[in-house]
Amino acid sequence: MRIAIVGTGYVGLVAGTCFAETGNDVIGLDVDAAKVARLSKGEIPIFEPGLSDLFSRSLREGRLSFTTSYDEAVKHAEIFFLCLPTPPLEDGSADTRHVLSAAREIAKRMSGHKLLVSKSTVPIGTNKEITDEVKKHYKGEFSVAANPEFLKEGTAIEDFLKPDRVVLGVNDNRAFETLSALYEPFVRTGAPIIRMDPASAELTKYAANGFLATKISFMNEIARLCEKTGADVDLVRIGMSKDARIGSAFLFPGIGYGGSCFPKDTRALVQSGRKCGLEMSIVNAAEKVNETQKLILFPRIKAHFNGSLSGKTIALWGLAFKPRTDDIREAPALALIEKLIEEGAKIRAFDPEAVANVKRIFGDKVYFAQSAYDALDGADALLLATEWNEFRTPDWERVKKLLRTPTVFDGRNIYQGATLRKLGFSYYGIGKP
Ligand SMILES: NC(=O)c1ccc[n+]([C@@H]2O[C@H](COP(=O)([O-])OP(=O)(O)OC[C@H]3O[C@@H](n4cnc5c(N)ncnc54)[C@H](O)[C@@H]3O)[C@@H](O)[C@H]2O)c1
């Protein structure tokens, strides 16, 4: 099939590459000319495991190309996937401006039947707004579908190639059949293609993210109670997770969720409720808990240093909002850096992939180390913000030698407090004695 991917960011680039991998002819359209130039040369502007091999092969074999021109993309494609940003407006609701403007630009150039598919996370009713926008500029036949994306950064390629489900919000059989055929190679192991109306598809994505965010914040609140009472949240978690109705995923407490999806999608869901007179109190609470969770370790850090961080140096391991990505949008590490600097601390930070992105924000206010161990050199404590695998089993003797005082603040509960204490460290986790 001839496909245009409109917006070649984290979602668009992965979707386009995976569709090209299964033999489709894909053109990626982006307004960012510098990004298009890099992609056309074979350079990938983001870090996503497994993307590079598939991307290079399809580019080389001519199934994948890039442009800044709507003329070129519309001439090429029969299906358009809108993978555009839907950032929060001031009140938290999703800004669909980019999605609607792309639909308009496509409609102005359309001839024959075309299918526009929203992969962006968009509020209920956006499918109808896209339809109305296209109708203003095009009098022929067309279809609009909602196909929310569930990939996770860090495992995006695997998620896309082997989804646990494909949700298709469609108004007509033609759109359903086309999209089912396109996704068929990805669901051969039996994952369902779930057909529904566009409004339900749009809400499915928000409901899924709202639920996952709630699970995290629920456990973080339980962790707070553990800290007050002397219970150990890791034991509570394991005890809970053996109940099949609960399961073990997403029960890990930490310094909160970040990323481009959970924070913005929970706020947008709350606003969608408000717009029709409903208070989405559960997901609203999840978001409120998360906002304070990012700095939950801070009072303990301060107390450890007798109330003052002035002149102290903190080694910060992990900057990305989660492992295996360079994405730092709403990353808890950013909130920590700001707070530490405000309190007079110096920071020596290391992340395997996200340093360049954080450098753009903080410049020389932060020392960016060459390695995890370099970050520790002369620091007063280690603060772990992102659980990259390479941070999981460090050489603790070496860590101890490099730190001025052997102190670990574990923002993701990946270390064993008892073991570290035996080695002479002061250890602080989340919701653990
Ligand atoms: N990142 C994720 O993990 C993820 C997962 C599922 C769903 N989503 C949703 O997918 C959508 C895209 O997210 P993302 O993380 O890929 O965003 P992104 O910011 O990484 O990429 C968006 C791209 O769109 C381009 N763009 C902006 N306006 C444009 C226009 N008018 N025409 C053409 N290109 C334009 C930007 O230059 C950028 O390259 C959002 O709605 C997001 O909520 C994201």
Side-chain angles (χ1 to χ4, degrees):
M1 294 185 205
R2 284 175 290 108
I3 294 171
I5 298 288
V6 187
T8 57
Y10 284 88
V11 167
L13 199 50
V14 169
T17 301
C18 292
F19 284 140
E21 172 70 11
T22 47
N24 297 290
D25 200 348
V26 178
I27 190 165
L29 164 69
D30 206 291
V31 285
D32 183 339
K35 189 181 265 188
V36 167
R38 286 185 68 185
L39 288 166
S40 302
K41 277 193 280 176
E43 288 174 26
I44 302 179
I46 57 167
F47 172 75
E48 184 58 51
L51 175 59
S52 166
D53 281 355
L54 302 190
F55 175 87
S56 309
R57 188 165 55 229
S58 283
L59 195 71
R60 199 173 54 237
E61 293 173 7
R63 291 189 302 274
L64 191 56
S65 62
F66 295 91
T67 183
T68 53
S69 157
Y70 273 95
D71 285 340
E72 200 183 329
V74 178
K75 215 160 108 190
H76 167 89
E78 51 196 326
I79 311 172
F80 298 82
F81 281 92
L82 309 179
C83 306
L84 297 151
T86 45
L89 290 165
E90 211 160 301
D91 67 357
S93 56
D95 183 355
T96 55
R97 201 175 359 161
H98 300 289
V99 172
L100 294 175
S101 94
R104 186 182 323 123
E105 293 308 316
I106 294 164
K108 280 185 198 163
R109 295 162 173 85
M110 263 164 43
S111 61
H113 185 277
K114 304 273 181 185
L115 168 57
L116 279 72
V117 187
S118 173
K119 246 197 188 311
S120 296
T121 302
V122 289
I124 311 160
T126 306
N127 185 280
K128 165 102 181 38
E129 286 177 26
I130 296 172
T131 306
D132 293 346
E133 194 61 42
V134 173
K135 272 187 187 158
K136 280 188 212 158
H137 302 278
Y138 181 65
K139 299 299 164 213
E141 273 186 47
F142 66 96
S143 304
V144 179
N147 168 218
E149 182 50 59
F150 299 101
L151 64 76
K152 305 179 283 301
E153 285 174 28
T155 52
I157 293 289
E158 211 184 313
D159 292 344
F160 201 95
L161 293 176
K162 291 184 199 146
D164 40 25
R165 82 289 208 194
V166 174
V167 169
L168 297 180
V170 290
N171 293 308
D172 58 275
N173 287 337
R174 184 171 179 170
F176 180 70
E177 276 152 26
T178 304
L179 290 171
S180 297
L182 182 63
Y183 275 107
E184 199 273 335
F186 305 116
V187 294
R188 293 175 69 85
T189 49
I193 293 181
I194 307 169
R195 179 176 182 162
M196 58 179 81
D197 62 279
S200 301
E202 288 162 345
L203 183 53
T204 297
K205 173 69 188 176
Y206 282 106
N209 274 359
F211 187 76
L212 292 169
T214 302
K215 247 183 135 177
I216 296 173
S217 281
F218 178 85
M219 279 314 287
N220 282 335
E221 207 165 52
I222 294 294
R224 291 179 189 190
L225 188 57
C226 287
E227 239 156 67
K228 297 269 182 218
T229 54
D232 183 334
V233 75
D234 274 344
L235 301 176
V236 176
R237 172 178 63 76
I238 293 163
M240 287 168 67
S241 68
K242 299 302 163 202
D243 183 329
R245 294 169 302 174
I246 296 174
S248 57
F250 262 69
L251 293 182
F252 292 84
I255 51 173
Y257 57 76
S260 68
C261 292
F262 287 176
K264 110 178 146 54
D265 293 350
T266 45
R267 284 175 215 141
L269 186 55
V270 169
Q271 281 308 318
S272 290
R274 284 202 184 130
K275 275 183 191 146
C276 40
L278 259 186
E279 191 57 39
M280 306 293 285
S281 51
I282 294 175
V283 75
N284 196 21
E287 178 53 19
K288 285 212 174 92
V289 167
N290 194 60
E291 268 314 302
T292 46
Q293 193 69 18
K294 289 183 179 177
L295 294 180
I296 201 82
L297 274 176
F298 204 75
R300 298 178 82 186
I301 299 175
K302 220 169 155 181
H304 177 84
F305 291 111
N306 300 319
S308 172
L309 288 171
S310 176
K312 299 293 176 199
T313 300
I314 305 295
L316 181 61
W317 279 6
L319 299 167
F321 85 93
K322 67 172 182 178
R324 294 178 296 281
T325 181
D326 61 348
D327 196 344
I328 58 161
R329 291 177 280 188
E330 307 236 14
L334 303 185
L336 281 164
I337 293 176
E338 256 168 39
K339 188 74 181 156
L340 288 165
I341 291 176
E342 191 186 303
E343 297 276 334
K346 291 195 170 58
I347 299 162
R348 297 174 66 86
F350 177 73
D351 185 283
E353 294 294 338
V355 165
N357 287 338
V358 176
K359 224 179 230 175
R360 256 175 245 131
I361 302 177
F362 290 100
D364 56 12
K365 287 190 193 146
V366 170
Y367 170 79
F368 293 99
Q370 296 304 311
S371 69
Y373 290 106
D374 178 29
L376 300 169
D377 198 3
D380 294 280
L382 162 63
L383 167 56
L384 178 109
T386 317
E387 67 280 30
W388 284 89
N389 276 340
E390 64 186 86
F391 299 150
R392 282 182 187 269
T393 48
D395 174 350
W396 287 114
E397 287 305 329
R398 192 170 167 200
V399 173
K400 207 169 155 188
K401 272 194 204 120
L402 287 165
L403 286 175
R404 213 179 299 171
T405 50
T407 309
V408 174
F409 297 100
D410 179 1
R412 299 293 172 188
N413 278 4
I414 63 170
Y415 302 129
Q416 295 300 326
T419 312
L420 286 192
R421 286 188 190 111
K422 252 189 232 155
L423 292 170
F425 284 85
S426 300
Y427 172 84
Y428 302 87
I430 306 276
K432 301 206 286 189

